[in-house]
Amino acid sequence: LMQKEFPSGVESLPELRYLALRSDRMEFIPQSIANLSNLETFRLKSHETVSLPDTIWNMKKLRVLCVWICARPLLNDDVLKSSSTLPNLDFLSTLILPLSQAGENIIRKIPHVRRLKILVSDNEGAWEATGSCNLSQLESLESLTVMGGFILPWDHNIEYIFPSALKKLSLSELGLPWSKIS
């Protein structure tokens, strides 16, 4: 389905398990997506970053989430503290993740993810990115793709910490020396 807005009426299909959409202009997913309590796979093919609602944390059966996701709307401290994890999430692509404590808080909400694709961003737009990208608590993580690209400057001081169970690692456009990768 190719459209600009989330299709009306879809959220009234509580037995839906798989939803795939295609849109070049969809900017957000409505709160009502959480009404799809049996949804296991949600794919949105888009060239734009999409904002997910905080109700996404209520979708306990979600196993595959495949969209360009801006983490910023999900970073609300109150929401993160009061929300539970996504225990069944197996595959998440592509999360634009800030290198901050808030970014690590989101990682804690997907404890059993096996395949993860992230685009790291600097801390709140500060071009002096420092800190770490600590993924070590993701003990089930087997496949990880980390991309940097134009978001980060080439001269930064970031350390990456990966889980020991990792079987596949793809690093792209990070400009990091090996000494910054543990």
Side-chain angles (χ1 to χ4, degrees):
L1 180 60
M2 175 77 145
Q3 63 183 70
K4 184 177 179 179
E5 295 181 7
F6 194 80
S8 62
V10 169
E11 63 271 5
S12 64
L13 301 170
E15 298 304 315
L16 195 65
R17 292 186 187 164
Y18 183 96
L19 178 60
L21 304 171
R22 180 177 174 200
S23 173
D24 290 334
R25 295 181 184 93
M26 193 177 302
E27 296 176 3
F28 70 94
I29 305 300
Q31 299 274 346
S32 59
I33 194 171
N35 294 342
L36 302 174
S37 57
N38 289 305
L39 194 66
E40 294 176 6
T41 300
F42 178 52
R43 295 180 183 273
L44 173 61
K45 184 173 184 173
S46 175
H47 298 291
E48 298 294 323
T49 302
V50 176
S51 293
L52 288 176
D54 54 13
T55 56
I56 198 77
W57 302 117
N58 300 330
M59 300 180 71
K60 301 298 175 214
K61 293 186 179 180
L62 197 60
R63 294 180 42 79
V64 174
L65 182 56
C66 190
V67 297
W68 277 93
I69 308 163
C70 180
R72 204 154 280 163
L74 301 175
L75 294 176
N76 181 311
D77 282 339
D78 293 334
V79 170
L80 284 175
K81 287 178 185 173
S82 64
S83 65
S84 61
T85 64
L86 290 177
N88 292 313
L89 194 66
D90 180 70
F91 177 51
L92 174 58
S93 173
T94 298
L95 177 64
I96 301 173
L97 189 70
L99 297 173
S100 63
Q101 185 61 48
E104 286 192 27
N105 290 343
I106 287 181
I107 293 297
R108 285 188 191 94
K109 296 294 182 177
I110 54 171
H112 305 294
V113 70
R114 286 186 323 111
R115 298 173 295 157
L116 177 63
K117 188 174 186 180
I118 60 175
L119 177 69
V120 292
S121 70
D122 60 343
N123 295 322
E124 303 300 321
W127 284 101
E128 299 170 10
T130 60
S132 69
C133 184
N134 187 352
L135 303 172
S136 63
Q137 65 263 18
L138 298 177
E139 295 175 2
S140 300
L141 191 64
E142 295 178 3
S143 176
L144 173 65
T145 299
V146 182
M147 301 173 293
F150 66 91
I151 301 239
L152 290 172
W154 293 108
D155 183 24
H156 47 72
N157 188 21
I158 299 166
E159 184 173 5
Y160 289 83
I161 304 166
F162 302 122
S164 58
L166 203 57
K167 295 177 182 176
K168 180 180 177 187
L169 176 63
S170 175
L171 304 174
S172 173
E173 300 184 46
L174 293 173
L176 287 172
W178 283 110
S179 62
K180 294 294 179 185
I181 301 172
S182 67

